[in-house]
Amino acid sequence: MPLSILDLVPISEGSTARDAIAASMNSARLADQLGYHRLWFAEHHNTPNLAASATALLISQAATVTERIRVGAGGVMLPNHAPLMVAEQYGTLANIHGDRIDLGLGRAPGTDMMTARALSRSSAEPQDFARNIYDLQGWFSDTGTAHSMPIVSAVSAGTRVPIWVLGSTVNGAAIAAQLGLPFAVASHFAPDQLDAALRTYREMFSTEAPTAQIDRPRVMAGINVMVADTDEEARRQFTVVEQMFLDLKHNLRRKIQPPVDPDTLAAQGGGNEPMLRIKAVGSPPTVKAQLDEFVARTGADELITVTYAHDPAVRDRSLELLAKAWF
């Protein structure tokens, strides 16, 4: 089964956005060498601890420093953008880097509502979202022309950039199914509707829609991963993302914090965060068993892993240990 990576370009305490981007590019090179299938960047805004805002630029740089791995957006939050501009950007990427570019699309803003209003360029309503995807496919087609209007995008014509629908709920799953598109489920931070969403997607999947690009349902499921030499060290390193979610609850706008003792974090009200319960944390054998169990539960066609670490070397070590255990 393919194993992929979702990168939000975390900015650690004591470092800068420039440092975070450089670390992510180093990890991209490593992932390419280790055999990971794809590397996606997720759009976020107004977040002091994440540098993943301009996904197209990150994708272009990552594709430049790698040779084999697919690179894409996981995703572009379409309501923040004019669809024509997205077609032009991703068509340009495909023309520069060839057939390694993916476009994952979501309806959520990837930020708070105030920032979403500042970014808003298109509607998040399901029918508008679906129509915009149909137009994007037209701009990526051989004619380079939108289906709903006589507007041509020469730079994206003929690139046929693959489109995925991102979602975490039954509603998102239904949209992906009705459009006949692959579905990337954000179970790594929104696990509550995972089983229902997958069931809905598979039951409602249609190959008859004009947007359909696959002949059967295809699911990529997100999971939090931290691999270390021992279960104890992996559990300690996982407190990095647990602190991040605790900060969200308390509206603390801090950069990514160093790991702490799990018992210390529990005393502060952290740990065992329900939003992070889809996870594989431990030594390589432990994580391999947890991933196998998750695959059995979801029937996923592909896993996309999310790993936060204060020290980029810890993240890279996790990537290496996971690759050795999985491939």
Side-chain angles (χ1 to χ4, degrees):
M1 171 179 292
L3 200 62
S4 298
I5 298 167
L6 181 64
D7 189 357
L8 283 73
V9 195
I11 308 173
S12 298
E13 190 67 56
S15 68
T16 65
R18 176 175 292 186
D19 297 329
I21 292 170
S24 284
M25 294 307 122
N26 287 335
S27 295
R29 293 186 188 93
L30 178 63
D32 192 40
Q33 296 165 6
L34 292 172
Y36 285 89
H37 183 55
R38 67 181 95 233
L39 168 64
W40 279 6
F41 295 94
E43 176 185 348
H44 286 75
H45 303 278
N46 194 24
T47 47
N49 55 5
L50 302 175
S53 300
T55 53
L57 296 177
L58 293 169
I59 290 165
S60 186
Q61 185 61 21
T64 297
V65 302
T66 59
E67 297 179 357
R68 178 203 54 81
I69 194 170
R70 298 193 64 83
V71 190
V76 166
M77 301 297 104
L78 194 54
N80 298 339
H81 305 273
L84 175 58
M85 185 66 73
V86 174
E88 292 172 339
Q89 289 176 346
Y90 283 78
T92 299
L93 287 170
N95 276 301
I96 294 172
H97 300 291
D99 186 24
R100 288 200 290 143
I101 304 300
D102 296 324
L103 176 56
L105 297 171
R107 290 193 303 135
T111 187
D112 59 274
M113 294 312 298
M114 178 183 69
T115 307
R117 286 193 294 271
L119 290 165
S120 180
R121 291 295 180 272
S122 64
S123 172
E125 291 301 315
Q127 291 303 315
D128 294 329
F129 182 71
R131 186 184 67 251
N132 288 335
I133 288 177
Y134 194 33
D135 280 339
L136 279 164
Q137 288 185 327
W139 282 316
F140 291 138
S141 72
D142 290 339
T143 67
T145 306
H147 291 291
S148 69
M149 62 192 92
I151 295 176
V152 176
S153 170
V155 74
S156 61
T159 58
R160 301 191 179 278
V161 174
I163 293 177
W164 291 68
V165 173
L166 279 58
S168 59
T169 66
V170 169
N171 290 337
I175 292 173
Q178 291 166 357
L179 295 178
L181 294 175
F183 181 46
V185 59
S187 40
H188 60 288
F189 72 88
D192 289 347
Q193 294 190 40
L194 171 60
D195 298 310
L198 294 180
R199 184 168 57 252
T200 296
Y201 174 65
R202 289 173 175 135
E203 289 177 353
M204 296 182 64
F205 185 83
S206 171
T207 59
E208 303 302 319
T211 49
Q213 65 181 37
I214 51 177
D215 57 9
R216 64 175 183 82
R218 179 173 179 82
V219 170
M220 177 162 53
I223 183 167
N224 298 286
V225 173
M226 174 53 72
V227 193
D229 292 312
T230 66
D231 289 348
E232 292 75 18
E233 177 58 17
R235 181 70 189 86
R236 190 179 79 89
Q237 292 294 341
F238 195 69
T239 62
V240 169
V241 66
E242 289 175 328
Q243 289 180 84
M244 178 181 169
F245 274 70
L246 188 61
D247 284 353
L248 287 173
K249 285 185 175 180
H250 295 297
N251 199 29
L252 293 177
R253 294 175 61 79
R254 302 191 296 173
K255 294 182 179 180
I256 302 298
Q257 297 298 301
V260 297
D261 180 78
D263 292 336
T264 301
L265 183 61
Q268 298 171 351
N272 295 317
E273 167 58 53
M275 293 175 69
L276 297 175
R277 66 178 180 268
I278 303 297
K279 61 187 178 183
V281 178
S283 64
T286 298
V287 167
K288 175 65 165 56
Q290 292 169 337
L291 291 177
D292 286 339
E293 181 180 349
F294 185 59
V295 171
R297 170 185 170 181
T298 61
D301 302 285
E302 183 175 338
L303 298 182
I304 187 161
T305 64
V306 188
T307 300
Y308 289 93
H310 177 266
D311 182 352
V314 171
R315 177 177 61 185
D316 290 347
R317 176 64 173 163
S318 180
L319 292 177
E320 290 175 338
L321 291 173
L322 178 57
K324 289 178 182 178
W326 189 259
F327 298 130

